[in-house]
Amino acid sequence: MHTIMKKFLLPIIILALGTACNLQQEVDLDLPEFEPQIVVESYLQPGQPYLLVLTESVGYFEDIRLQFLHDATVSIEFEGGSVELGEFGIPLDFQIPGGAGIDTSLLQTLGPIVGDSLFVYTSFALVPELYEKDFTLTIKTADGRDVTATTHIPAPVSLDTMEYRFNDDSAAFVLTKFQDDGEKVNFYRLQLDEWISREVEDSNGQTVLEATRREVFDFNIDDDIENGEQITVGTAFDYQVGDTLVSTLYHIPPEYYYFLETSTAAIIANLSPFGQPASIQSNIEGGSGIFTGYSIRNRAVIIGE
């Protein structure tokens, strides 16, 4: 009898307390005035063009739209030289003359947050192959604000092997292996993609081979536990003979690793009403975002070959 009374009385007590608290009562919040902040995003890869996106943050209750900062002076200094980046607008309906085998349709999906054009700061120069050397970013906006950041490009780390093994049902899993340098602290980003080829008909009625990419995983690794050891990452038994998989290993600086980790945490927190607020770790002085470098190595395997 006592247990039954507790079972039925507890909801009534909770309801009564809720009614007494008047959960429909309106509360006025005195929110602080929002101050826009400069946001920088730039990644340096040897042999590739310099690209930098410069925007300004918007308030929580404003429309979600990138606010590009125009007419800024942007320069990057490094050992033996420097480069000035100029502003360049890329229309979202941009088409490369002759096609060049490049699909630009992805740009159009950015319309709701970009507008008609995506603006970047770039140059005709390519990022030099200067591993472990400092690159220093300096920005002065049109309204006189200053931004600085420093990064380096870690030396590339080779992917030792990609191998597959079958189970009794003729399904295969894939292992990716690489050797960590025990002489220093290292951070990595590892991606694995499956490439699927199929025959399609182009606009001229010709049959062509089209390759599409499916992401298997993309995660970040530090060598805290496996310092100086061979690091091995595997998949489930999801693949058959003829499937093609490509591993991409990024050797990244610590600021990029923590930017990725805290960005993921912030996204998870924003998606959950019960999540704890999370701040994104940045290396930008005078703003937020990331200015970083990385080196890449790839390796592919075709199951059964």
Side-chain angles (χ1 to χ4, degrees):
M1 181 68 176
H2 180 67
T3 302
I4 296 176
M5 291 294 290
K6 286 178 64 178
K7 178 179 178 180
F8 286 97
L9 282 178
L10 186 57
I12 295 174
I13 294 171
I14 293 174
L15 180 61
L17 289 174
T19 305
C21 293
N22 190 7
L23 296 179
Q24 300 299 319
Q25 183 177 358
E26 294 184 2
V27 178
D28 293 326
L29 297 177
D30 186 15
L31 298 175
E33 184 177 350
F34 173 74
E35 295 184 5
Q37 188 177 33
I38 295 172
V39 181
V40 176
E41 190 165 7
S42 180
Y43 305 93
L44 306 179
Q45 181 187 350
Q48 297 299 315
Y50 293 89
L51 288 175
L52 182 143
V53 177
L54 184 63
T55 59
E56 192 172 54
S57 60
V58 297
Y60 183 83
F61 297 104
E62 298 180 33
D63 292 336
I64 301 176
R65 192 75 173 263
L66 288 182
Q67 301 294 326
F68 294 104
L69 291 178
H70 303 287
D71 303 321
T73 301
V74 180
S75 64
I76 298 175
E77 295 184 356
F78 48 86
E79 185 178 277
S82 64
V83 61
E84 300 286 332
L85 307 188
E87 187 176 11
F88 181 72
I90 306 174
L92 296 193
D93 59 358
F94 174 71
Q95 295 294 326
I96 297 175
I102 299 175
D103 182 10
T104 58
S105 61
L106 179 62
L107 284 174
Q108 299 177 26
T109 65
L110 301 175
I113 62 171
V114 169
D116 296 330
S117 297
L118 171 67
F119 291 91
V120 299
Y121 287 84
T122 186
S123 81
F124 291 108
L126 302 180
V127 177
E129 195 173 280
L130 289 174
Y131 298 119
E132 310 300 341
K133 304 294 184 181
D134 282 349
F135 287 77
T136 300
L137 170 69
T138 302
I139 299 174
K140 182 174 282 292
T141 64
D143 58 2
R145 288 177 289 175
D146 294 312
V147 172
T148 60
T150 299
T151 191
H152 71 279
I153 303 173
V157 173
S158 296
L159 282 165
D160 298 334
T161 59
M162 281 187 72
E163 59 188 56
Y164 54 85
R165 298 175 187 173
F166 290 98
N167 62 12
D168 295 337
D169 297 322
S170 298
F173 78 98
V174 177
L175 295 175
T176 300
K177 302 178 181 181
F178 61 94
Q179 180 64 44
D180 178 69
D181 181 1
E183 297 296 320
K184 59 182 180 179
V185 178
N186 293 289
F187 300 89
Y188 309 98
R189 178 178 181 181
L190 182 63
Q191 294 176 326
L192 181 66
D193 298 309
E194 180 183 9
W195 284 89
I196 303 169
S197 298
R198 59 175 181 168
E199 291 185 344
V200 297
E201 190 174 283
D202 65 13
S203 58
N204 298 319
Q206 301 294 319
T207 300
V208 296
L209 196 62
E210 180 184 74
T212 58
R213 180 180 70 91
R214 183 184 72 87
E215 182 181 286
V216 178
F217 60 65
D218 179 355
F219 59 88
N220 315 311
I221 308 170
D222 64 33
D223 64 356
D224 195 30
I225 297 177
E226 299 175 290
N227 185 40
E229 300 179 8
Q230 186 179 66
I231 297 176
T232 302
V233 180
T235 70
F237 284 93
D238 289 336
Y239 307 103
Q240 308 296 325
V241 172
D243 290 346
T244 300
L245 290 105
V246 178
S247 282
T248 303
L249 179 64
Y250 299 76
H251 195 192
I252 62 178
E255 67 268 12
Y256 188 17
Y257 174 84
Y258 291 114
F259 174 78
L260 291 171
E261 290 288 287
T262 54
S263 296
T264 301
I267 292 171
I268 293 173
N270 284 337
L271 293 176
S272 171
F274 307 107
Q276 294 294 319
S279 60
I280 298 176
Q281 188 166 323
S282 166
N283 70 331
I284 305 297
E285 296 291 335
S288 63
I290 187 68
F291 172 65
T292 191
Y294 55 79
S295 58
I296 289 181
R297 287 294 183 267
N298 302 96
R299 184 177 283 270
V301 65
I302 301 176
I303 304 300
E305 295 187 4

